[in-house]
Amino acid sequence: MNGLLSKKFLNSIGVELDDKAYAALSEHYEQTLNDRVFKEIVEELTEQQLKELQTLKQASSEELEKWLVNNVPQLDEIVEDEIAILLGEIAENSSNI
Amino acid sequence: MRERIKNTRQTASERASQAFETASERASQVLKLGKSVVEDYFEDRQQRKEDAENDYEQQKQYPRDLDPLRTDAVEILGENPRMLRGRFRKQADKLEEKADKLENNPKEPGIRERILKWRANRTKIKIDRLRGKLKEGGWKSNDRVRAAKLKDLELKQNRLKKDISERASRRREMPEKLRKKIDEYVQKKVKAMDRKARRKILREEGIEWYDFEEKAEFLANLSDAEKKRIAREAILLVRKKNIEKGLLEPAHSVDQAAPQDKVRKVGDHYERVAQ
């Protein structure tokens, strides 16, 4: 997977960037998306669940994935919503990019 | 003869062209009518959206207790099952069909119920036969066996009758349960759209709406890299699920849609809310 934001999408909304600018935008996009998804996940969890999540700091990816699936039932929606919102924001501000 | 054929052809072609003209006129009339209906609908929708936005403007309070926000999408689409999309829409349609069928035929038993009734009937026949034989008399040892068998059959009969009545009451309650399930899907969708719209609006206003006071300790114990890892795993997990479902091609990045014959295009959801 080459990052979370594709040049194809940017081209489809009329944004054409060179490699350097694309890399910068892609990094900003990823950072924003990670930040928002993390906040939404934390918002959904109870205190007990947060304590459990803390113990998984050193856990493997599979264990963390399993825990997320079991404890955040709306995970699909959260991620899809945030991606859609962020892409929509990029589309809306495409003239300023 | 040739003249007659020629005349017949001319008449047929004249009739055909007349029919075509009539059909074109009718089609254009329908299109005009259809167009006005569609335009009216969009105007009405726009008006409702503006009303919803004006309501929000008048009632908004910061930062957390927004009134149950009548988002533009809910205002336009309403809170009925037609707002659902994709597999939830299919499931809701199936459940609705099932509920309608049960409501229209409240006394018609389902397959299981019919099988149970059939078994109960057969058991009754066996019981009657055994009772008859016991009445006739005969070998005492046979009577003992028959009596024991009769007892078993009567127990079985009672069990079957109980199962049949349970199934019947379940059948009566089923339409309500199914409609409740459809409501759950709709409410889930409404909550998701509401959440999306609120976040969008608050972000536009530059207001942070997360209340992390209670969770401050947890956040303080996590480094930025760890937070990023959790979010990243969540995103990759959803991506993996979508690839497994066939909604996303592995080679595509998160925002790229699968080929045309697949279902989802990221961004459509947002556009619907924004309209």
Side-chain angles (χ1 to χ4, degrees), chain A residues 1 9 40 42 54 59 82, chain B residues 199 210 215 221 229 255:
Chain A
M1 187 174 72
F9 170 73
E40 286 298 323
V42 168
Q54 260 186 340
E82 292 300 335
Chain B
R199 282 202 301 254
Y210 300 106
K215 305 176 182 181
N221 287 339
R229 187 183 163 225
D255 63 309

Side-chain angles (χ1 to χ4, degrees), chain B residues 19-125:
Chain B
F20 179 75
E21 277 167 25
T22 320
S24 313
E25 274 169 34
R26 278 204 203 130
S28 64
Q29 277 172 6
V30 166
L31 274 172
K32 275 184 204 162
L33 183 67
K35 199 178 167 192
S36 68
V37 166
V38 166
E39 278 170 0
D40 286 345
Y41 166 72
F42 277 114
E43 271 171 33
D44 190 35
R45 190 172 95 159
Q46 185 62 25
Q47 186 58 44
R48 277 183 287 151
K49 184 194 161 195
E50 282 168 9
D51 289 343
E53 279 171 359
N54 290 338
D55 281 349
Y56 169 66
E57 284 299 320
Q58 283 166 17
Q59 293 170 29
K60 66 181 176 186
Q61 296 163 38
Y62 300 111
R64 294 275 295 169
D65 33 280
L66 293 173
D67 285 342
L69 182 61
R70 301 298 295 168
T71 66
D72 51 0
V74 173
E75 196 68 20
I76 292 162
L77 299 173
E79 289 187 7
N80 65 57
R82 298 293 148 222
M83 68 171 351
L84 297 170
R85 293 286 181 269
R87 64 186 170 96
F88 291 110
R89 172 72 178 267
K90 278 188 190 162
Q91 280 172 349
D93 285 345
K94 269 191 194 166
L95 292 174
E96 209 170 323
E97 206 181 298
K98 205 173 166 185
D100 286 340
K101 196 178 167 189
L102 285 167
E103 277 172 350
N104 293 335
N105 305 309
K107 292 190 180 166
E108 192 178 320
I111 293 173
R112 287 240 173 116
E113 215 177 314
R114 273 186 252 152
I115 290 172
L116 285 170
K117 281 186 177 171
W118 175 78
R119 284 169 68 190
N121 282 339
R122 263 185 48 160
T123 312
K124 185 174 179 304
I125 291 169

Side-chain angles (χ1 to χ4, degrees), chain B residues 190-204:
Chain B
V190 166
K191 271 188 199 165
M193 288 195 318
D194 189 49
R195 186 172 68 215
K196 234 187 333 195
R198 283 163 152 226
R199 282 202 301 254
K200 178 193 165 207
I201 287 165
L202 288 174
R203 277 195 190 118
E204 278 168 7

Side-chain angles (χ1 to χ4, degrees), chain B residues 23 138 182 248 267:
Chain B
I182 295 171
L248 199 64

Side-chain angles (χ1 to χ4, degrees), chain A residues 54-68:
Chain A
Q54 260 186 340
T55 60
L56 294 171
K57 269 194 255 186
Q58 307 300 328
S60 65
S61 296
E62 287 82 22
E63 284 171 5
L64 187 55
E65 271 181 18
K66 203 173 163 189
W67 190 91
L68 284 170

Side-chain angles (χ1 to χ4, degrees), chain B residues 10-24:
Chain B
Q10 275 174 343
T11 318
S13 70
E14 276 170 15
R15 272 189 271 137
S17 62
Q18 270 175 9
F20 179 75
E21 277 167 25
T22 320
S24 313

